[in-house]
Amino acid sequence: MTARAAGRRRVPAWLPALLLVFVPVAAILAARGAGPVPVFACSALAIVPLAGLMGEATEALADRFGAGVGGLLNATFGNAAELIIAIAALRHGLHDVVKASLTGSIVGNALLVLGVSIVAGGVGRDRQTFDRQAAGSAVTLLVLAAIGFLVPALFPLAARTAAAQAGVSPAHALAGQHDLSLAIAIVLFAGYVASLVFVLGTHRRHFAGEPAREPHPWPVWRATLALALATAATAWMSELLVDAVHGASAALGLTQVFVGVVIVAVVGNAAEHSIAVRMAIADRMDVSVQIAVGSSLQIALFVAPVLVFLSRALPGGPLDLRFTPFEVLAVAVAVGAVNVVAQDGESNWLEGVLLVAAYLVLALAFYYLP
């Protein structure tokens, strides 16, 4: 059996259809005012089959347009739910929850999604290969994102020191941190636009990946329609999820930071998990890497800046990019780990295990963080 054929093996057809029942169940429970835990659980389960449908549609588009466009499409549609969740939280002034979910999405995609994909694709194979230049470019952009998160975190310390030396009040020195976040958001967004030109224009050949060994049976119109419908339903379920997350976290004895960084991010990234793993099993690591790393890039360089821009018009007030020191550390660890894996353009299952282990270490730290 070829690698591609192995990648085509599906779970029983009735299983995704069975899980789709949780879409109306979650909606009914939320409408009738059920407890937050059942709403949270049902909406999370509803996202699973929707992620599978998004995976099927994106795989069909990747077969037609190549790894770069396929990965970009998946990252874009996969992050739509996170963007909608964050906007809803911004309207309520939940800035810390928004920033925690951004951190969790970046770290989760870079370490957990990529790690699980490498493990799944590496089982039974000596190694898998992907375009080193494409992966290296993505890591470079992740470094830019890490710098964009690090500077606002260090700015208050530098501002207080400068204020003491200049003899002015610390409040006066810190007055510009929102403007600093806005300026950095503009720079990050410009970096994202430049990356689109790089991926889709000047260096498109490096992101094409290997051609599909077995054409996907879905036509483009069907894949596009399925992707749009699944994205809309995923966003709906994600809204229910975030509405129930506060009550569920209290009932389960979990902190808001842990729920935002780990649980919400993992559930929100279900689409990326499903698709990236399936692509890796099919030995299409170029697409898998583009999905996992590209999704982290879109969160850092597109979603975060857009939220900063939108927050200026929302009643919750302007959002800044001042993440906690441990959140910045988590992003830096993720960037460093991905850089190590991407350097040689090859991967094996052990590297995937190490990425997952790094994610678990960070998740445990967030769990015990007061």
Side-chain angles (χ1 to χ4, degrees):
M1 179 180 292
T2 65
R4 183 65 176 177
R8 291 292 188 198
R9 287 182 298 182
R10 303 285 186 241
V11 296
W14 53 267
L15 183 57
L18 180 63
L19 292 178
L20 281 173
V21 73
F22 286 105
V23 174
V25 168
I28 292 172
L29 289 175
R32 294 187 175 182
V37 174
V39 174
F40 183 89
C42 289
S43 56
L45 288 172
I47 291 175
V48 175
L50 295 172
L53 181 58
M54 292 177 69
E56 190 77 18
T58 306
E59 185 175 350
L61 294 174
D63 282 356
R64 179 63 63 89
F65 298 113
V69 176
L72 178 63
L73 284 171
N74 175 259
T76 300
F77 281 94
N79 288 328
E82 283 92 332
L83 181 59
I84 294 172
I85 291 171
I87 292 174
L90 282 178
R91 289 200 302 265
H92 294 85
L94 302 176
H95 289 187
D96 290 339
V97 175
V98 172
K99 289 186 280 190
S101 65
L102 291 175
T103 302
S105 294
I106 295 170
V107 174
N109 282 303
L111 295 180
L112 183 61
V113 176
L114 183 59
V116 172
S117 299
I118 291 175
V119 172
V123 173
R125 297 186 177 100
D126 182 61
R127 63 188 178 91
Q128 291 182 289
T129 61
F130 49 88
D131 191 283
R132 183 170 58 183
Q133 180 172 341
S137 300
V139 173
T140 302
L141 288 168
L142 278 178
V143 172
L144 169 63
I147 294 173
F149 289 178
L150 176 63
V151 171
L154 296 179
F155 178 78
L157 176 62
R160 291 189 181 94
T161 302
Q165 294 175 348
V168 298
S169 67
H172 177 75
L174 293 173
Q177 64 181 356
H178 285 294
D179 291 334
L180 173 64
S181 293
L182 177 61
I184 291 176
I186 294 173
V187 174
L188 294 178
F189 189 81
Y192 176 71
V193 173
S195 72
L196 292 182
V197 176
F198 187 84
V199 172
L200 302 178
T202 61
H203 289 68
R204 183 171 183 171
R205 65 185 183 279
H206 293 288
F207 296 85
E210 296 182 3
R213 299 182 180 92
E214 180 182 319
H216 198 284
W218 283 14
V220 172
W221 70 265
R222 181 179 178 183
T224 304
L225 179 61
L227 192 57
L229 293 176
T231 299
T234 300
W236 181 26
M237 291 297 101
S238 298
E239 286 278 7
L240 299 181
L241 185 76
V242 75
D243 287 341
V245 71
H246 299 289
S249 62
L252 297 174
L254 302 173
T255 65
Q256 295 291 325
V257 173
F258 178 81
V259 171
V261 172
V262 178
I263 297 180
V264 172
V266 168
V267 173
N269 292 329
E272 286 89 343
H273 277 280
S274 170
I275 305 162
V277 169
R278 285 170 53 183
M279 291 295 182
I281 293 174
D283 201 20
R284 302 190 66 191
M285 282 304 297
D286 281 302
V287 181
S288 186
V289 171
Q290 285 300 314
I291 289 172
V293 181
S295 188
S296 290
L297 287 176
Q298 281 212 341
I299 290 292
L301 302 183
F302 176 73
V303 174
V306 166
L307 292 174
V308 172
F309 302 151
L310 292 178
S311 68
R312 300 242 160 183
L314 295 176
L319 175 72
D320 60 49
L321 294 177
R322 184 185 171 187
F323 292 80
T324 66
F326 194 76
E327 287 174 329
V328 174
L329 174 63
V331 172
V333 168
V335 173
V338 172
N339 182 52
V340 171
V341 173
Q343 281 182 349
D344 58 359
E346 298 180 355
S347 64
N348 56 65
W349 67 265
L350 180 58
E351 291 178 333
V353 169
L354 297 180
L355 288 178
V356 174
Y359 178 81
L360 292 177
V361 169
L362 293 174
L364 287 170
F366 279 111
Y367 177 78
Y368 287 105
L369 193 68

